[in-house]
Each structure stands twice: as structure tokens, then as C-alpha cells.
Amino acid sequence: MILITGGAGYIGSHCAINFLNAGYEVVVFDNLENGHIETVHQLEKIGKVHFVKGDLRNKDEINNVFKAYDIDTVIHFAGYIEVAESVKNPSKYYRNNIIGSLNLFDAMVENNVKRIVFSSTCAVYGEPKYTPLDEKHPKAPINAYGKTKFMIEEILEDYDRAYDLKSIRLRYFNVAGADSQSRVGEWHEPETHLIPNILKSIFEKGRTFKIFGTDYDTFDGTCIRDYVNVEDMGEAHRLAYLYLKENNKSDVFNIGTEQGNSVKEVFQTTESVTGKKIDVAMEPRRDGDAAMLFANATKAKEVLKWQGTRTLKDSIKTAYLWEKTKH
């Protein structure tokens, strides 16, 4: 049985679908602060899902899950993810992301569950010394969100040495898109991610899409990111789980497309895919945003046998169809 923390959220739910489609039984543990019960109901239509409402900051609540279910491996998504908020309110991020993760890892050790796939981030690298970024790139995160993920990675290294807790850390680049059947998708309140915010400008009258920063050292002045499809991301987690189960050794992998797209390019592609003209305004930079981040994902291809197959256009199309279901 697979335990997915944060499984009612965006990436967690798509990961759950991938496991369910492959015939696994899944326990979703989520406090529903940012996840949605409607998402859980969609998952229950696909396969065998057990939902537990709980918070990792409460050690008893997560410990009880291991007592109640025969957990084979944990896929750990639960955590706060907004870069700008983490700069303004680092305490919230350290207390939730790190303490919650420690409670989870301790519960795993106590209950003899020794495999975990951790949702990390390319934000652990900070400002790139070179691009594309490989796993050996120096780690120097520039915001509290990235620092929490880096610290959790370091904790997992220590827990491997001390308690034999084996982990695969997946360093995501920018995740995009939605389930191709529009059952689940990206749903944050407030929404801070690029593509859904562009799409909201189509559906919400009087809303203008804002581009934050046009003076970066990039070809068109806007940030460049590597947009990896969320269904491809779900597949990466299952392949990481299979690798961990077969090899029983810890490792770290970048998950990205190895291509960078600027904010302006994403905006223009969205107008092209939707056939809509979108109002846009240029705003100053936000704190904590690096100019350019895109992946060298060679290691994931060679070791996990993972490769993203869906394009930026594919991601925008499924995101658009998902956004339509909410309006």
C-alpha cells in the first residue's frame, strides 16, 4: 500500500492517479488546507483509495496511519510551496515543512517503513552557476521554501545513515498541466503559478495577467523555466518507487524537460492554444525569483528510465480544459 502525503493537492493527486491506474492501493493523508476533498472523491472513482484527514505537525495523527494500514512506501508531497510567501513568512515554512517532515520520518522509522520518495525542488540550487542544472550543481537556495527542501534532503541523508531509511529525492522544475480527462488539476487559493494565472485572466472578467519582472538577464527579459507536465511527473514518482524497491538505495534526480521557456513565451503559447487575447501588465520583479532554471535530466532518463513525453502546448491545453470545468 502506498501512502501519499498531500495526496489531495495538485501534484500529489496526479501521482495518486498514476499509482491507481497501475493497480496500487493508495492512502491519501492530507489536512485539506491546500488540498481538496473534491479531489479525493475523484480519486475514489479511479481505484482503491483510503482518505485520512490529518496534519504532519501532529505526530500522533501520522503515527496512527502506519498503525492502521500496511504501508509499503511513502510518497511525500505535503508542505507549503509559495516562494514569495516563504520570503515574507519564513517561520511558517520552517515550522510546517521541516517539523512535519521530521514527524513523518520518525513515524516511518518507528513503524519500520524504510522507503520514501520525496518531492524536492530545483529551488535547492539557487541562482544557477551554469545551465542546464545537473544534480551536482552547488546547492545555495535563495528563499526559505528552497531552504526547507534542501534541509529535508540533508535530513534524509542522515536518516539513511542512522536508521537505514532509503529515499529518492526528486528535484522538480516547474510543473504544469492537468489530468488529460479533466478529473483533477491545479487548484490553489490563492493561485500563484504562471499558467493557471494566465488562464484565469480568460475566465475572470476584468482580470489582467501580470508579468513580474521584464529586466532579467534573459533573451526577452522575463524569467526562464523548465515546464514539466504533471502527468509525466506522476510517472516519475512511480518509476522512482520501483527503482527504490528494486535497488534499496538512496539517490537524487532532476525531473524536467531540459528545455527553458520564458514567461512571455508561455503567455504567447497560451494565447495560441486558447485562441483568446489576454490582457497583460508588466510589474516589478518578485523577491526570490531566479532568472533562469532548466534541467539536465540525463540521470533520470538513464537510471529511472523516465522521460517527459508531453509538450508545453499539451500542458497548457489540459490546464485550459481543467480551468473550464471550474467556470
Side-chain angles (χ1 to χ4, degrees):
M1 202 175 293
I2 307 295
L3 170 62
I4 303 180
T5 71
Y10 173 41
I11 307 174
S13 61
H14 290 82
C15 176
I17 287 175
N18 192 285
F19 274 96
L20 292 168
N21 285 340
Y24 292 88
E25 196 170 337
V26 168
V27 178
V28 169
F29 182 86
D30 200 299
N31 66 6
L32 300 181
E33 183 180 348
N34 294 309
H36 303 276
I37 193 63
E38 296 90 340
T39 299
V40 176
H41 294 330
Q42 288 296 329
L43 296 178
E44 289 169 342
K45 296 175 186 175
I46 299 166
K48 189 146 190 185
V49 176
H50 307 269
F51 174 62
V52 178
K53 186 177 180 183
D55 195 307
L56 289 179
R57 288 167 291 194
N58 184 323
K59 191 173 179 183
D60 288 340
E61 289 180 356
I62 186 59
N63 226 330
N64 289 339
V65 173
F66 291 101
K67 304 268 188 254
Y69 299 97
D70 183 17
I71 304 298
D72 171 69
T73 299
V74 177
I75 318 290
H76 178 31
F77 294 96
Y80 293 137
I81 61 168
E82 292 178 28
V83 168
E85 183 188 46
S86 82
V87 174
K88 292 174 184 169
N89 190 3
S91 173
K92 176 180 177 180
Y93 279 67
Y94 290 120
R95 290 179 185 282
N96 181 72
N97 292 7
I98 294 176
I99 293 172
S101 295
L102 278 169
N103 286 342
L104 172 63
F105 304 158
D106 287 344
M108 290 176 68
V109 171
E110 286 170 28
N111 292 278
N112 201 34
V113 176
K114 295 297 183 74
R115 290 191 293 264
I116 183 167
V117 180
F118 173 55
S119 160
S120 191
T121 172
C122 63
V124 301
Y125 297 121
E127 286 286 355
K129 307 290 184 195
Y130 55 84
T131 52
L133 289 86
D134 58 22
E135 290 84 356
K136 294 177 181 175
H137 187 285
K139 267 68 77 185
I142 60 174
N143 53 64
Y145 163 67
K147 288 175 183 175
T148 64
K149 293 290 191 176
F150 175 58
M151 290 174 188
I152 294 164
E153 283 199 28
E154 293 290 290
I155 291 166
L156 283 168
E157 290 275 6
D158 290 336
Y159 272 54
D160 183 357
R161 282 187 288 267
Y163 312 119
D164 199 35
L165 178 62
K166 301 300 181 186
S167 66
I168 299 292
R169 286 92 68 199
L170 298 182
R171 293 178 184 152
Y172 309 166
F173 285 68
N174 282 48
V175 186
D179 170 54
S180 20
Q181 296 182 44
S182 295
R183 294 167 294 188
V184 299
E186 191 159 9
W187 183 1
H188 300 115
E189 299 293 345
E191 184 57 71
T192 60
H193 290 171
L194 179 65
I195 292 170
N197 268 326
I198 299 175
L199 293 170
K200 283 179 184 297
S201 304
I202 295 173
F203 291 101
E204 297 177 13
K205 288 184 179 177
R207 184 182 176 119
T208 300
F209 172 68
K210 296 175 180 178
I211 292 179
F212 293 97
T214 56
D215 59 347
Y216 288 95
D217 186 17
T218 60
F219 75 95
D220 67 6
T222 63
C223 287
I224 290 175
R225 294 290 184 270
D226 183 334
Y227 293 92
V228 58
N229 180 273
V230 71
E231 290 183 300
D232 288 339
M233 184 67 75
E235 178 74 359
H237 285 80
R238 189 172 58 82
L239 291 173
Y241 158 74
L242 292 172
Y243 175 83
L244 192 56
K245 195 163 186 181
E246 184 176 336
N247 296 281
N248 196 40
K249 67 175 186 178
S250 297
D251 212 335
V252 59
F253 298 91
N254 284 340
I255 303 295
T257 67
E258 303 189 305
Q259 295 179 7
N261 292 101
S262 74
V263 174
K264 283 183 180 176
E265 282 181 320
V266 175
F267 178 78
Q268 290 157 2
T269 304
T270 305
E271 285 193 325
S272 169
V273 167
T274 63
K276 308 283 188 183
K277 184 70 180 168
I278 302 166
D279 290 333
V280 63
M282 306 301 176
E283 299 284 340
R285 295 184 186 195
R286 293 180 300 194
D287 289 337
D289 277 343
M292 188 182 305
L293 292 169
F294 63 99
N296 177 333
T298 302
K299 188 177 173 185
K301 288 182 200 169
E302 292 179 351
V303 179
L304 298 181
K305 311 303 180 192
W306 175 87
Q307 184 162 6
T309 59
R310 296 164 178 89
T311 65
L312 177 64
K313 280 188 175 179
D314 294 333
S315 294
I316 291 172
K317 183 178 179 183
T318 55
Y320 179 50
L321 293 173
W322 160 252
E323 201 66 39
K324 272 185 167 180
T325 70
K326 300 194 302 182
H327 291 88

PDB file of all heavy atoms in Angstrom, residues 123-141:
ATOM      1  N   ALA A 123      14.622  24.615  -6.667  1.00  0.00           N
ATOM      2  CA  ALA A 123      14.942  25.802  -5.853  1.00  0.00           C
ATOM      3  C   ALA A 123      16.091  25.532  -4.887  1.00  0.00           C
ATOM      4  O   ALA A 123      16.662  26.476  -4.337  1.00  0.00           O
ATOM      5  CB  ALA A 123      13.702  26.276  -5.083  1.00  0.00           C
ATOM      6  N   VAL A 124      16.462  24.259  -4.686  1.00  0.00           N
ATOM      7  CA  VAL A 124      17.609  23.968  -3.817  1.00  0.00           C
ATOM      8  C   VAL A 124      18.917  24.478  -4.434  1.00  0.00           C
ATOM      9  O   VAL A 124      19.898  24.700  -3.724  1.00  0.00           O
ATOM     10  CB  VAL A 124      17.748  22.457  -3.503  1.00  0.00           C
ATOM     11  CG1 VAL A 124      16.516  21.929  -2.817  1.00  0.00           C
ATOM     12  CG2 VAL A 124      18.085  21.648  -4.741  1.00  0.00           C
ATOM     13  N   TYR A 125      18.925  24.698  -5.748  1.00  0.00           N
ATOM     14  CA  TYR A 125      20.157  25.120  -6.414  1.00  0.00           C
ATOM     15  C   TYR A 125      20.418  26.623  -6.283  1.00  0.00           C
ATOM     16  O   TYR A 125      21.566  27.051  -6.339  1.00  0.00           O
ATOM     17  CB  TYR A 125      20.111  24.760  -7.901  1.00  0.00           C
ATOM     18  CG  TYR A 125      20.022  23.281  -8.176  1.00  0.00           C
ATOM     19  CD1 TYR A 125      18.956  22.742  -8.901  1.00  0.00           C
ATOM     20  CD2 TYR A 125      20.997  22.411  -7.715  1.00  0.00           C
ATOM     21  CE1 TYR A 125      18.869  21.381  -9.160  1.00  0.00           C
ATOM     22  CE2 TYR A 125      20.921  21.043  -7.969  1.00  0.00           C
ATOM     23  CZ  TYR A 125      19.852  20.541  -8.687  1.00  0.00           C
ATOM     24  OH  TYR A 125      19.770  19.194  -8.936  1.00  0.00           O
ATOM     25  N   GLY A 126      19.346  27.407  -6.123  1.00  0.00           N
ATOM     26  CA  GLY A 126      19.521  28.863  -6.078  1.00  0.00           C
ATOM     27  C   GLY A 126      19.839  29.434  -7.447  1.00  0.00           C
ATOM     28  O   GLY A 126      19.424  28.894  -8.473  1.00  0.00           O
ATOM     29  N   GLU A 127      20.585  30.523  -7.475  1.00  0.00           N
ATOM     30  CA  GLU A 127      20.963  31.137  -8.756  1.00  0.00           C
ATOM     31  C   GLU A 127      21.932  30.210  -9.488  1.00  0.00           C
ATOM     32  O   GLU A 127      22.951  29.810  -8.930  1.00  0.00           O
ATOM     33  CB  GLU A 127      21.621  32.502  -8.522  1.00  0.00           C
ATOM     34  CG  GLU A 127      20.652  33.604  -8.126  1.00  0.00           C
ATOM     35  CD  GLU A 127      19.792  34.103  -9.290  1.00  0.00           C
ATOM     36  OE1 GLU A 127      20.015  33.645 -10.442  1.00  0.00           O
ATOM     37  OE2 GLU A 127      18.912  34.940  -9.050  1.00  0.00           O
ATOM     38  N   PRO A 128      21.647  29.871 -10.744  1.00  0.00           N
ATOM     39  CA  PRO A 128      22.495  28.914 -11.456  1.00  0.00           C
ATOM     40  C   PRO A 128      23.922  29.421 -11.671  1.00  0.00           C
ATOM     41  O   PRO A 128      24.122  30.572 -12.053  1.00  0.00           O
ATOM     42  CB  PRO A 128      21.787  28.746 -12.806  1.00  0.00           C
ATOM     43  CG  PRO A 128      20.408  29.253 -12.601  1.00  0.00           C
ATOM     44  CD  PRO A 128      20.480  30.293 -11.544  1.00  0.00           C
ATOM     45  N   LYS A 129      24.874  28.553 -11.410  1.00  0.00           N
ATOM     46  CA  LYS A 129      26.269  28.813 -11.787  1.00  0.00           C
ATOM     47  C   LYS A 129      26.468  28.435 -13.246  1.00  0.00           C
ATOM     48  O   LYS A 129      27.374  28.918 -13.911  1.00  0.00           O
ATOM     49  CB  LYS A 129      27.229  27.990 -10.923  1.00  0.00           C
ATOM     50  CG  LYS A 129      27.031  28.152  -9.423  1.00  0.00           C
ATOM     51  CD  LYS A 129      27.461  29.514  -8.952  1.00  0.00           C
ATOM     52  CE  LYS A 129      27.339  29.601  -7.422  1.00  0.00           C
ATOM     53  NZ  LYS A 129      27.401  30.994  -6.957  1.00  0.00           N
ATOM     54  N   TYR A 130      25.639  27.501 -13.730  1.00  0.00           N
ATOM     55  CA  TYR A 130      25.659  27.088 -15.126  1.00  0.00           C
ATOM     56  C   TYR A 130      24.296  26.479 -15.440  1.00  0.00           C
ATOM     57  O   TYR A 130      23.548  26.097 -14.533  1.00  0.00           O
ATOM     58  CB  TYR A 130      26.778  26.071 -15.395  1.00  0.00           C
ATOM     59  CG  TYR A 130      26.740  24.843 -14.506  1.00  0.00           C
ATOM     60  CD1 TYR A 130      25.933  23.744 -14.812  1.00  0.00           C
ATOM     61  CD2 TYR A 130      27.523  24.767 -13.346  1.00  0.00           C
ATOM     62  CE1 TYR A 130      25.899  22.621 -14.000  1.00  0.00           C
ATOM     63  CE2 TYR A 130      27.500  23.636 -12.534  1.00  0.00           C
ATOM     64  CZ  TYR A 130      26.688  22.566 -12.868  1.00  0.00           C
ATOM     65  OH  TYR A 130      26.645  21.458 -12.066  1.00  0.00           O
ATOM     66  N   THR A 131      23.970  26.421 -16.722  1.00  0.00           N
ATOM     67  CA  THR A 131      22.732  25.768 -17.160  1.00  0.00           C
ATOM     68  C   THR A 131      23.057  24.874 -18.356  1.00  0.00           C
ATOM     69  O   THR A 131      23.962  25.185 -19.117  1.00  0.00           O
ATOM     70  CB  THR A 131      21.661  26.808 -17.568  1.00  0.00           C
ATOM     71  OG1 THR A 131      22.228  27.710 -18.496  1.00  0.00           O
ATOM     72  CG2 THR A 131      21.109  27.547 -16.374  1.00  0.00           C
ATOM     73  N   PRO A 132      22.300  23.785 -18.554  1.00  0.00           N
ATOM     74  CA  PRO A 132      21.262  23.274 -17.650  1.00  0.00           C
ATOM     75  C   PRO A 132      21.847  22.769 -16.329  1.00  0.00           C
ATOM     76  O   PRO A 132      23.028  22.423 -16.267  1.00  0.00           O
ATOM     77  CB  PRO A 132      20.630  22.133 -18.450  1.00  0.00           C
ATOM     78  CG  PRO A 132      21.716  21.689 -19.382  1.00  0.00           C
ATOM     79  CD  PRO A 132      22.506  22.908 -19.729  1.00  0.00           C
ATOM     80  N   LEU A 133      20.994  22.731 -15.307  1.00  0.00           N
ATOM     81  CA  LEU A 133      21.442  22.328 -13.974  1.00  0.00           C
ATOM     82  C   LEU A 133      21.405  20.814 -13.845  1.00  0.00           C
ATOM     83  O   LEU A 133      20.379  20.190 -14.117  1.00  0.00           O
ATOM     84  CB  LEU A 133      20.536  22.934 -12.901  1.00  0.00           C
ATOM     85  CG  LEU A 133      20.644  24.444 -12.674  1.00  0.00           C
ATOM     86  CD1 LEU A 133      19.745  25.196 -13.646  1.00  0.00           C
ATOM     87  CD2 LEU A 133      20.247  24.789 -11.254  1.00  0.00           C
ATOM     88  N   ASP A 134      22.534  20.225 -13.443  1.00  0.00           N
ATOM     89  CA  ASP A 134      22.536  18.806 -13.125  1.00  0.00           C
ATOM     90  C   ASP A 134      22.525  18.619 -11.608  1.00  0.00           C
ATOM     91  O   ASP A 134      22.560  19.583 -10.843  1.00  0.00           O
ATOM     92  CB  ASP A 134      23.739  18.096 -13.763  1.00  0.00           C
ATOM     93  CG  ASP A 134      25.078  18.684 -13.329  1.00  0.00           C
ATOM     94  OD1 ASP A 134      25.139  19.331 -12.261  1.00  0.00           O
ATOM     95  OD2 ASP A 134      26.070  18.494 -14.062  1.00  0.00           O
ATOM     96  N   GLU A 135      22.464  17.370 -11.177  1.00  0.00           N
ATOM     97  CA  GLU A 135      22.329  17.080  -9.744  1.00  0.00           C
ATOM     98  C   GLU A 135      23.565  17.469  -8.939  1.00  0.00           C
ATOM     99  O   GLU A 135      23.485  17.605  -7.713  1.00  0.00           O
ATOM    100  CB  GLU A 135      22.025  15.595  -9.539  1.00  0.00           C
ATOM    101  CG  GLU A 135      20.632  15.158  -9.993  1.00  0.00           C
ATOM    102  CD  GLU A 135      20.530  14.829 -11.472  1.00  0.00           C
ATOM    103  OE1 GLU A 135      21.550  15.014 -12.197  1.00  0.00           O
ATOM    104  OE2 GLU A 135      19.453  14.402 -11.915  1.00  0.00           O
ATOM    105  N   LYS A 136      24.691  17.661  -9.612  1.00  0.00           N
ATOM    106  CA  LYS A 136      25.928  18.027  -8.914  1.00  0.00           C
ATOM    107  C   LYS A 136      26.089  19.534  -8.751  1.00  0.00           C
ATOM    108  O   LYS A 136      27.046  19.985  -8.117  1.00  0.00           O
ATOM    109  CB  LYS A 136      27.132  17.452  -9.670  1.00  0.00           C
ATOM    110  CG  LYS A 136      27.170  15.931  -9.650  1.00  0.00           C
ATOM    111  CD  LYS A 136      28.337  15.402 -10.471  1.00  0.00           C
ATOM    112  CE  LYS A 136      28.322  13.875 -10.448  1.00  0.00           C
ATOM    113  NZ  LYS A 136      29.371  13.301 -11.322  1.00  0.00           N
ATOM    114  N   HIS A 137      25.172  20.300  -9.307  1.00  0.00           N
ATOM    115  CA  HIS A 137      25.241  21.759  -9.178  1.00  0.00           C
ATOM    116  C   HIS A 137      25.248  22.143  -7.695  1.00  0.00           C
ATOM    117  O   HIS A 137      24.543  21.528  -6.891  1.00  0.00           O
ATOM    118  CB  HIS A 137      24.041  22.392  -9.885  1.00  0.00           C
ATOM    119  CG  HIS A 137      24.093  23.890  -9.958  1.00  0.00           C
ATOM    120  ND1 HIS A 137      23.843  24.694  -8.868  1.00  0.00           N
ATOM    121  CD2 HIS A 137      24.376  24.726 -10.983  1.00  0.00           C
ATOM    122  CE1 HIS A 137      23.960  25.961  -9.228  1.00  0.00           C
ATOM    123  NE2 HIS A 137      24.289  26.007 -10.506  1.00  0.00           N
ATOM    124  N   PRO A 138      26.047  23.148  -7.313  1.00  0.00           N
ATOM    125  CA  PRO A 138      26.053  23.569  -5.896  1.00  0.00           C
ATOM    126  C   PRO A 138      24.648  23.924  -5.401  1.00  0.00           C
ATOM    127  O   PRO A 138      23.823  24.439  -6.160  1.00  0.00           O
ATOM    128  CB  PRO A 138      26.950  24.820  -5.902  1.00  0.00           C
ATOM    129  CG  PRO A 138      27.792  24.687  -7.118  1.00  0.00           C
ATOM    130  CD  PRO A 138      26.966  23.946  -8.130  1.00  0.00           C
ATOM    131  N   LYS A 139      24.397  23.617  -4.130  1.00  0.00           N
ATOM    132  CA  LYS A 139      23.101  23.926  -3.514  1.00  0.00           C
ATOM    133  C   LYS A 139      23.223  25.201  -2.695  1.00  0.00           C
ATOM    134  O   LYS A 139      23.966  25.245  -1.704  1.00  0.00           O
ATOM    135  CB  LYS A 139      22.639  22.777  -2.612  1.00  0.00           C
ATOM    136  CG  LYS A 139      21.753  21.763  -3.300  1.00  0.00           C
ATOM    137  CD  LYS A 139      22.445  20.949  -4.355  1.00  0.00           C
ATOM    138  CE  LYS A 139      23.306  19.868  -3.755  1.00  0.00           C
ATOM    139  NZ  LYS A 139      24.088  19.136  -4.794  1.00  0.00           N
ATOM    140  N   ALA A 140      22.537  26.264  -3.143  1.00  0.00           N
ATOM    141  CA  ALA A 140      22.569  27.548  -2.436  1.00  0.00           C
ATOM    142  C   ALA A 140      21.213  28.233  -2.593  1.00  0.00           C
ATOM    143  O   ALA A 140      21.088  29.255  -3.264  1.00  0.00           O
ATOM    144  CB  ALA A 140      23.684  28.437  -2.995  1.00  0.00           C
ATOM    145  N   PRO A 141      20.154  27.650  -1.978  1.00  0.00           N
ATOM    146  CA  PRO A 141      18.803  28.202  -2.162  1.00  0.00           C
ATOM    147  C   PRO A 141      18.711  29.652  -1.700  1.00  0.00           C
ATOM    148  O   PRO A 141      19.356  30.043  -0.725  1.00  0.00           O
ATOM    149  CB  PRO A 141      17.913  27.284  -1.321  1.00  0.00           C
ATOM    150  CG  PRO A 141      18.843  26.551  -0.401  1.00  0.00           C
ATOM    151  CD  PRO A 141      20.159  26.480  -1.084  1.00  0.00           C
TER     152      PRO A 141
END
